[in-house]
Amino acid sequence: MIAPYQIGGYKSPSFGSPAIPLVLVDRSRKITMKFLLVLPLFVALASAQFGGFGGGLGGNRLGGALSNAANRVQQGIANIARQLPSPPKITNVQNFGDFLAQSGKNYLSAADKALHEGVFAARKNLVDAGNDAFAKGASSYQLAVNAFSDLTKSEFLSQLTGLRKSSQGASKATANRKLASVPAGASIPESFDWRQKGGVTSVKFQGTCGSCWAFATTGAIEGHIFRKTGTLPNLSEQNLVDCGTLEFGLSGCDGGFQEYAMAFINEEQKGVSKADGYPYIDNKDTCKYSKNLSGAQITGFATIPPKDETLMKKVIATLGPLACSLNGLETLLQYKSGIYSDEKCNEGEPNHSVLVVGYGSEKGQDYWIVKNSWDKVWGEEGYFRLPRGNNFCGIALECTYPIV
């Protein structure tokens, strides 16, 4: 059975089972449910090893059987986790009933349902108004109702962002930080896209864990390793969620920052795991990293001076993608396509980490190509475009890349 995942009140059906809507649960209850899902598997494996519970096993045989069963359970968990499902694709939604039918969502109580229905109604109005403006040529981007359209602002920020700073992390980052530089005399094209070069892994999904910082970090390292070696690794966000420490300003699903993560990888862990050996489970767990899991190493990281988008462009064209911060709004949550130009995102501080993989221009508007961690069903196959040249949404304030 493939483990279901949850967004707000939605939990996906298990593979081979009918769709079962489950109520909104907090993270501790979610962890308990995952344990309960695995417990029968452990019992079954143990039973198979023992030949039945009345087999009169000796101590050594019992210990070996338990060890083998535990190993098989761990492998089973890994296989389940590798298949974290995508959010449901929502289409042609006219009202909350349509949304519930397509998303499978359910809620704790009538009051909870009313709360989320109100949020959904406001988001639906936002989408309709935004698309009306786009149709009239007054907006450069389209919106859409999606699986996230009933999330309250606090749910959105806790589940789908996750950028957090701290004095501890800043102290560690300072010791590992270098100033950005690019090869002298390098040719800088007018447009560039690392996806076209094969230097970007598939769009991933952070689920309900505030781990955007981990996805931005792995994406940047993956791209720079590709540029250096010609081989694209797929690196583990779960490794960083589990193993990152408060000493480095990393709090798992409660937030972190790409600079802190790169300092941790370089100074403390001396590498980062491959994803297939350390799959994503949408929760913080105990650290399981070992050197044999390592898929990449770095020697530090470099940062772009704030608001220097010219240097951003040069670094992307010559070295690789950038892990950057921005201020993510609820209009971004509903983004479908186009160049996202909601001016309100210039009014707040960065709260979300993303990966800038390229740049280009359309109808006279320069833009950045940004990889998000909200799955392929969101946006332009998991990407969005952001105006380039005026620090839109704070995109040029906190950009970092690994030194490999």
Side-chain angles (χ1 to χ4, degrees):
M1 178 181 288
I2 297 174
Y5 86 94
Q6 178 180 333
I7 298 179
Y10 174 82
K11 200 156 189 178
S12 72
S14 302
F15 181 75
S17 301
I20 304 175
L22 298 176
V23 297
L24 179 69
V25 295
D26 61 26
R27 188 164 297 282
S28 62
R29 287 178 63 193
K30 185 175 162 192
I31 294 170
T32 301
M33 291 176 74
K34 287 189 175 182
F35 172 76
L36 291 174
L37 178 70
V38 171
L39 183 59
L41 177 61
F42 175 81
V43 173
L45 288 172
S47 178
Q49 289 286 338
F50 302 161
F53 288 110
L57 295 174
N60 291 338
R61 187 179 171 197
L62 175 61
L66 283 172
S67 177
N68 290 339
N71 289 338
R72 289 171 65 185
V73 168
Q74 186 62 45
Q75 184 60 48
I77 294 171
N79 290 336
I80 288 170
R82 286 192 186 98
Q83 302 177 68
L84 185 69
S86 295
K89 190 170 182 63
I90 308 297
T91 60
N92 194 32
V93 169
Q94 302 301 314
N95 52 49
F96 193 55
D98 289 346
F99 176 76
L100 292 180
Q102 293 188 42
S103 69
K105 289 195 177 185
N106 205 344
Y107 302 96
L108 282 171
S109 64
D112 191 43
K113 180 179 179 181
L115 169 65
H116 288 88
E117 183 173 6
V119 172
F120 172 83
R123 294 274 174 74
K124 179 68 165 59
N125 289 338
L126 178 70
V127 168
D128 291 343
N131 288 342
D132 184 59
F134 178 81
K136 294 177 179 177
S139 172
S140 59
Y141 63 100
Q142 291 180 285
L143 302 177
V145 171
N146 57 36
F148 312 129
S149 293
D150 70 329
L151 295 184
T152 66
K153 184 175 182 179
S154 62
E155 288 170 343
F156 159 49
L157 293 175
S158 66
Q159 296 178 16
L160 293 174
T161 64
L163 190 158
R164 302 286 186 275
K165 293 185 180 179
S166 68
S167 57
Q168 302 99 311
S171 176
K172 289 292 186 180
T174 299
N176 289 269
R177 183 186 298 120
K178 297 178 176 63
L179 187 64
S181 62
V182 297
S187 175
I188 310 300
E190 285 304 306
S191 62
F192 192 91
D193 187 345
W194 276 105
R195 295 175 298 179
Q196 297 176 357
K197 308 292 182 180
V200 186
T201 55
S202 297
V203 172
K204 302 176 183 181
F205 180 40
Q206 68 185 81
T208 60
C209 176
S211 54
C212 61
W213 56 274
F215 288 82
T217 299
T218 57
I221 297 173
E222 289 164 351
H224 284 253
I225 292 291
F226 173 81
R227 184 261 308 161
K228 182 177 180 179
T229 68
T231 299
L232 180 66
N234 185 18
L235 301 177
S236 172
E237 295 78 26
Q238 191 66 42
N239 171 199
L240 300 179
V241 169
D242 287 352
C243 303
T245 64
L246 289 175
E247 181 184 4
F248 282 82
L250 303 176
S251 301
C253 291
D254 294 322
F257 184 44
Q258 54 268 20
E259 289 189 17
Y260 306 166
M262 290 189 195
F264 171 77
I265 290 168
N266 179 50
E267 182 178 331
E268 180 72 13
Q269 195 167 256
K270 310 296 184 183
V272 58
S273 179
K274 295 172 285 188
D276 60 359
Y278 208 141
Y280 192 68
I281 63 170
D282 189 19
N283 265 313
K284 180 176 174 64
D285 203 349
T286 56
C287 180
K288 304 173 187 65
Y289 180 77
S290 60
K291 289 184 179 180
N292 66 299
L293 293 175
S294 180
Q297 294 82 39
I298 64 176
T299 60
F301 65 89
T303 57
I304 307 290
K307 300 183 181 182
D308 191 343
E309 293 186 71
T310 299
L311 185 54
M312 283 177 63
K313 179 180 177 180
K314 291 178 180 178
V315 168
I316 290 171
T318 60
L319 298 177
L322 288 169
C324 299
S325 306
L326 57 76
N327 181 27
L329 300 181
E330 291 165 84
T331 47
L332 183 62
L333 192 66
Q334 306 304 147
Y335 169 87
K336 178 183 178 182
S337 63
I339 301 174
Y340 177 73
S341 55
D342 186 345
E343 294 283 352
K344 291 183 180 179
C345 76
N346 295 315
E347 299 172 3
E349 296 297 316
N351 59 17
H352 186 42
S353 300
V354 293
L355 187 71
V356 183
V357 303
Y359 57 86
S361 300
E362 181 179 85
K363 298 179 181 178
Q365 172 67 68
D366 294 338
Y367 60 79
W368 297 113
I369 304 168
V370 186
K371 182 185 183 184
N372 207 348
S373 49
W374 298 348
D375 199 85
K376 292 181 180 180
V377 301
W378 175 88
E380 295 181 332
E381 295 292 320
Y383 291 81
F384 66 107
R385 289 176 288 159
L386 198 66
R388 172 166 57 96
N390 55 358
N391 186 38
F392 209 85
C393 296
I395 190 64
L397 293 177
E398 300 170 347
C399 286
T400 302
Y401 66 90
I403 299 173
V404 300

